[in-house]
Structure formats: C-alpha cells, structure tokens
Amino acid sequence: MSALLSRMLPRASISIRPIVANVRPHLHPTPPVASRLPTLSRRSLATPAGEQPRLRLGSTAPNFKAKTTQGEIDFHQFIGDKWVILFSHPADFTPVCTTELGAFAKLNPEFEKRGVKMIGLSANDLGSHDRWIKDIDEISGSSLQFPIIADSDRQVAWLYDMVDQQDLSNIDQKGIAFTIRSVFVIDPNKKIRLTMMYPASTGRNTSEVLRVIDSLQTGDKRGVTTPINWKPGEDVIVPPPVSTEDAKKKFGSVREVKPYVIPLCKTVTRS
C-alpha cells in the first residue's frame, strides 16, 4: 500500500561572495584528453571503453584533487559530512554561465540551511575565474562565495563525463571539448544521488535543484517518496510495503486515494 504525508521545510534568501580553481584528478589516471585521442575523438570526446568509472545513481563519486578559487581541495575531504552539489559550466565569460552562477550564488544561503555545499567547475584557469567572478557579482548583484574548479585541461570533466558526444561546435582553440551543464547531487556518504545533464545552450533551473535536495532529504528522513512537482509542505507518498494501517499509526490521519496511493494530511509530519 502507498500513502501520502506532508512536510514543511524552511525558506529564505540571501547573497554571497567569491573564490578560485585548477585541477588534478586523484583516482583517475587518464592524462589530458587532447594529447591522447585522435582529432575526431578529441573533438567529440568519445569515451574509450573501460577508461571511465560508471557514474550510476548510488555509486561512489570519484575522488580527485583540484585547484579552486578557494585553494586546493581533495574532493572527498571537501564533501566531509555534507551534501554537495557539483555543477559544471562550458566556459568563463559566457552569457548563460554568468547568469547561472549569479543565481546559484544568490540561492547559496538556502542550500547552506539544508547542509549543502556547492562547488562549480568551468573549463578555464584560475586567473580567468577570478576576473569572471567580478563580472558575475556585478551583473547579478551577488556575492559568490563557493569554490569554482579550474578545469582547463578537462580532467574533472573527463572523470565525471561532463562532455557532449556530438557537439563539435562546443570546443576550444585546442580542439578540446568544453564541458556541458552537468549537475551531480552527492550525499554525505559520497554517493551520487541525482544527476542532471543540460546542453551548453540551455540554462538550468536553480529552484529545481533546491527542490530535489528537499525531496531527497525528506525521503531519507521520513522514508517517503515525492510525487510530481512536489514542494515542501505538500503531500508525499509512503511507498510499499507500508500498509494503510501502518501508515496511519506512523503519520496519523490518512486519506486514501487508491489502494496504492494514500495521501496523509499535511499537518502530521514535523521535523
């Protein structure tokens, strides 16, 4: 039997400040891609079999060492006991990326309230990142404070498969593919919980990234699942094998829609 219950999560907004980055993979031996692949493969960044980890949901996020706008990091140490959002950008000083980073910077206090750390990645060096952050803050009115990885050689992009197989226009002067707009949500156990992949031409939705964090954390805490377009405070679903009677005992008043869908009243769940 399935059942629905509700949960309210706090909201708020604030702004933030800057940081900087450069990269060296720790667990992935693959040298810079441009020097290893023939021209056509290099342009599309085709993945030779057996050279990349399988980044399935539930798998351990690959570790790496990198230089960022906040100094050098070991990625697993950076995660620590927090949730982490790792998100990539094709290049510095590009219009869509600039709007995205400004928006994420403004929303950073909301992520921090949920125990989430953000770390960006862009296919340029630290000097470029430093100059770009000034533009981001000026244009968006933000104060960007999370680190940005400098991935000019695409080492992390290659490790996390943040590349486009087909887009031959999305390359730099050396013929190396820029990164696409990838999002990885990683939990405190270093497990990949959610991924999103956008082409370079399409900007992301920061509200959706925050929403899925709320969904994942609510599910982990309450043992529930969330329906389409769910937001904090709305009904959630208690999945099988929990029976209707057991759902009533655990969550209180229950409203059965179908034998396999039972919403619980919105007021029963409290943190």
Side-chain angles (χ1 to χ4, degrees), residues 23 25 64 66 121 149 151 154-162:
V23 178
F64 59 86
L121 176 148
I149 296 166
D151 197 30
R154 317 300 190 272
Q155 292 277 17
V156 176
W158 177 252
L159 182 63
Y160 275 77
D161 205 18
M162 299 170 168

Side-chain angles (χ1 to χ4, degrees), residues 213-231:
I213 288 289
D214 285 338
S215 174
L216 290 168
Q217 292 184 343
T218 298
D220 284 2
K221 185 173 184 179
R222 299 293 179 179
V224 298
T225 58
T226 57
I228 187 168
N229 296 329
W230 176 87
K231 294 178 182 177

Side-chain angles (χ1 to χ4, degrees), residues 13 34 38 63 76 81 107 183 190 196 207 270:
S13 61
N63 196 21
H76 281 189
D81 60 355
L107 204 56
V183 178
K190 319 296 188 292
M196 303 178 186
S207 297
R270 290 288 180 267

Side-chain angles (χ1 to χ4, degrees), residues 66-131:
K67 289 185 178 179
T68 81
T69 52
Q70 291 184 349
E72 187 167 341
I73 65 162
D74 174 283
F75 187 51
H76 281 189
Q77 290 180 10
F78 173 82
I79 295 172
D81 60 355
K82 303 290 186 181
W83 288 73
V84 165
I85 296 172
L86 169 64
F87 60 108
S88 62
H89 299 269
D92 295 2
F93 299 103
T94 52
V96 178
C97 297
T98 300
T99 63
E100 286 188 320
L101 277 166
F104 274 115
K106 286 183 173 181
L107 204 56
N108 193 41
E110 284 298 309
F111 287 106
E112 288 182 333
K113 283 164 52 177
R114 292 156 170 79
V116 179
K117 299 164 74 173
M118 289 196 290
I119 182 166
L121 176 148
S122 188
N124 297 89
D125 60 27
L126 287 178
S128 175
H129 285 357
D130 283 333
R131 296 189 300 273

